[in-house]
Amino acid sequence: MIAKRKLLGAALAFLLVGCANSTGPVDEAGNPLEPLTIVTASGEHQFMVEIADDDAERERGLMFRPPLADDRGMLFQFPDVAERGFWMKDTPSSLDILYIDPAGRIVSIARHTTPYSQAIIPSNGGANGVLELRAGRSEEIGAQPGDVVRHSFFSR
């Protein structure tokens, strides 16, 4: 009986430590997620996004990953504003790629990108943020260049 209580106590302590160390929501693979909103003519659209904010994360992106859910995405954060170019190498699912300026305004959108393509998809303007969504999602919510993306990374 005492051994069972000790085991139960240890399990409870492990759970409490795990909860105390939790910093926020995560996806099924344990990747941290942050809220992001896209404001379009049709309203505000909520997403939970992974953040790619270092070279290794930005290089890996969504390579070798299953398709994104409707409410998920990946936000690539860059320390500077520049013309950006992305490709779909080793990415099995078509994506919509939204290039975003420091104020959170969408610069351009590449819709329904070609999986596994090594063709560079340009931003056609300066961007410090790039948001990848499931292919077709930006059209479903009515996103257009000039619309606003709200996230703590962008200054507004």
Side-chain angles (χ1 to χ4, degrees):
M1 185 70 169
I2 293 175
K4 282 185 181 180
R5 283 188 185 159
K6 284 184 180 181
L7 183 59
L8 183 60
L12 183 57
F14 181 76
L15 284 172
L16 289 174
V17 168
C19 290
N21 289 334
S22 177
T23 59
V26 296
D27 67 9
E28 300 77 28
N31 299 309
L33 297 171
E34 295 183 8
L36 176 143
T37 302
I38 302 175
V39 182
T40 72
S42 67
E44 295 187 4
H45 305 276
Q46 310 298 319
F47 294 87
M48 293 300 287
V49 298
E50 290 179 55
I51 304 299
D53 60 359
D54 66 33
D55 289 340
E57 291 170 338
R58 288 189 293 258
E59 185 176 327
R60 185 176 47 257
L62 292 172
M63 290 179 169
F64 311 108
R65 301 267 298 267
L68 290 167
D70 288 352
D71 66 341
R72 297 293 165 86
M74 181 174 276
L75 178 62
F76 296 78
Q77 299 175 345
F78 294 90
D80 60 338
V81 178
E83 176 74 25
R84 301 283 174 211
F86 272 46
W87 64 358
M88 296 291 293
K89 182 179 186 243
D90 297 322
T91 305
S93 302
S94 182
L95 299 170
D96 288 349
I97 300 175
L98 292 73
Y99 294 97
I100 308 162
D101 74 13
R105 294 249 175 231
I106 298 173
V107 173
S108 66
I109 303 173
R111 300 183 201 273
H112 297 277
T113 57
T114 303
Y116 299 108
S117 173
Q118 293 187 36
I120 301 298
I121 304 163
S123 61
N124 298 314
N128 70 327
V130 180
L131 176 63
E132 292 182 340
L133 302 174
R134 175 189 53 78
R137 193 68 180 119
S138 66
E139 192 171 34
E140 292 168 5
I141 65 171
Q144 298 294 327
D147 286 344
V148 174
V149 176
R150 291 187 189 144
H151 182 271
S152 60
F153 179 68
F154 303 110
S155 60
R156 284 202 53 77

